Every structure is written in structure tokens, then in C-alpha cells.
Amino acid sequence: MTDITIALSKGRIFEDTAPLLKAAGIIALDDPESSRKLILSTNRANVHLIIVRASDVPTYVQYGAADLGIAGKDVLIEHGGSGLYQPLDLNIARCRMMVAVPEGFDYDSAVRQGARLRIATKYVQTAREHFAGKGVHVDLIKLYGSMELAPLVGLADAIVDLVSSGNTLKANNLVAVEEIMPISARLIVNQAALKLKRDIIQPVLDAFSEAVKQ
Ligand code: ATP
Ligand code: MG
């Protein structure tokens, strides 16, 4: 029997994914949140889950180490999406990619006056495209987390980050001034696997697609 492997990350994405997997008849035998295992068996002998860093999901799927995966649009844009088929917006882990600045910083006039802005972000690719599209000159500073700190200590004028409730911004006296794009998690499929294992992958895609419509 052909096996398939699905790459997932812990946390937010897994929480929202478990009901979709269930709709496809797939139930993890261990809880990924508490288990230290990185390869999890499921109720279906030929379906395996691997637990990886959110930003590594597209890489595992691109190289065929996983056949399917679930990754945020933010992560997919930074990765570039090569070798990946992206058939479905799962509408989960929704948030917004935003530009945020310290309260009192006049972003609009800085942009109008053609100031060169220092932007700290984990999402360098997304930020580069966004500001290039607006004709704003920026110096991008790559960070791996806690972007909110950067403007508070003079590392940057503004940040590009994901925002959902806005509570983290508020707690650090930052305000969102521009939406770059809405973000949600997507199903991704290795293009070669889709051809070679269509009989087993297609029913999973169909079940996900039905569950998303509910
Ligand atoms: P790590 O925490 O391991 O460094 P990460 O920060 O990428 O990795 P998460 O914070 O779990 O991992 O985020 C995973 C995905 O969830 C993101 O790629 C994004 O698509 C989505 N996400 C991130 N922040 C939010 C949020 N505030 N609300 C909703 N979805 C979010
Ligand atoms: Mg995180």
C-alpha cells in the first residue's frame, strides 16, 4: 500500500488543522503538542504526520520528504513556493500582515516626504515587495522574532509583522498603519507526489475542501 506523509507545525496551525484532518478520516495517535515524537502515526496505517517548524513545512514538501503540508501564506511567500501545488486556502490561522510604527510616528508624512525607512521584520521578501510597490526606499533588517522590540530600542523605524488581535502591538505602544495582505494557512502538495499518488492524495484534498466549505 502507498504511504503518504503530511508535514504540520505545532501550535496555532495544528489546533486549527486537527478538525480538518478528522474530516478526512485522519486522527493522530499521539498529541503533537505533548509528544516529543517528530513522526506520528495515525489511525490510518498508511498516513503519517511529521512535525516541523512552521517555516520549514514548504521545504519538506518541496523535496518530497512530505507529500502534503499546511503552511501560512506568510511562510509560502518567503519560501517562494517552487515545486509546490497550492490547491486550497484552508481559511485557518487567519491574521494580517501589517506595517506598524511607534505611537506618534507620522508614517504617512515620512512616506510622502520620501524618507528612507528602516524596517525590521522576519518577512524580508514580503516587505521588500510591498515597499518597492509603493516606491518607498527601505533598509530591511532581518529578525527571527519579537519584532515589536526593534522600534522601541532604535533598531528600526517600523516593523512588518503578523497581527491578529493587536494586543502585542498595543502592549508595546505600537500602532498598525498599513495592511499588506490578509494571511491564512494553505494546503500544499508536492507536484510529483500528486501525480504518482493521486489515488490516495485526491480523497484527502476532497475531504479538506468539503470541510473548509462548512
Ligand atoms: P516559531 O514559533 O517556531 O518560531 P512561527 O512563529 O512561524 O514559528 P507560529 O507562531 O506557530 O510559528 O505561527 C505559525 C503560523 O501561524 C504563521 O506562519 C502564520 O501563518 C500563522 N500565525 C502567526 N501569527 C498568527 C496570529 N497572531 N494569528 C493567527 N495566525 C497566526
Ligand atoms: Mg511564533
Side-chain angles (χ1 to χ4, degrees), residues 146-214:
S146 303
M147 271 80 85
E148 296 84 2
L149 179 62
L152 307 182
V153 295
L155 180 62
D157 301 306
I159 62 171
V160 166
D161 198 4
L162 298 176
V163 179
S164 50
S165 68
N167 286 340
T168 308
L169 292 182
K170 203 175 292 169
N172 291 292
N173 302 314
L174 301 174
V175 284
V177 287
E178 198 164 69
E179 172 163 343
I180 299 180
M181 67 181 78
I183 298 291
S184 56
R186 314 290 158 117
L187 185 64
I188 57 176
V189 187
N190 176 277
Q191 283 171 350
L194 182 61
K195 292 199 191 94
L196 295 169
K197 304 184 184 179
R198 183 142 225 157
D199 53 334
I200 167 159
I201 292 177
Q202 191 62 49
V204 175
L205 299 190
D206 293 344
F208 271 47
S209 161
E210 272 308 305
V212 167
K213 277 189 222 152
Q214 312 281 307

Side-chain angles (χ1 to χ4, degrees), residues 80-110:
S82 85
L84 302 177
Y85 172 54
Q86 301 183 28
L88 196 57
D89 182 349
L90 298 172
N91 244 319
I92 58 173
R94 291 176 59 175
C95 54
R96 296 183 293 162
M97 184 75 73
M98 308 277 296
V99 181
V101 300
E103 266 168 30
F105 179 87
D106 192 344
Y107 175 73
D108 287 335
S109 42

Side-chain angles (χ1 to χ4, degrees), residues 72-134:
K73 186 178 177 186
D74 51 317
V75 162
L76 289 167
I77 289 173
E78 293 298 310
H79 173 270
S82 85
L84 302 177
Y85 172 54
Q86 301 183 28
L88 196 57
D89 182 349
L90 298 172
N91 244 319
I92 58 173
R94 291 176 59 175
C95 54
R96 296 183 293 162
M97 184 75 73
M98 308 277 296
V99 181
V101 300
E103 266 168 30
F105 179 87
D106 192 344
Y107 175 73
D108 287 335
S109 42
V111 165
R112 244 190 338 264
Q113 287 160 16
R116 192 172 185 93
L117 294 176
R118 286 226 292 186
I119 310 288
T121 187
K122 186 169 152 182
Y123 306 101
V124 171
Q125 212 46 42
T126 310
R128 183 178 293 117
E129 277 172 36
H130 173 70
F131 291 107
K134 285 169 63 83

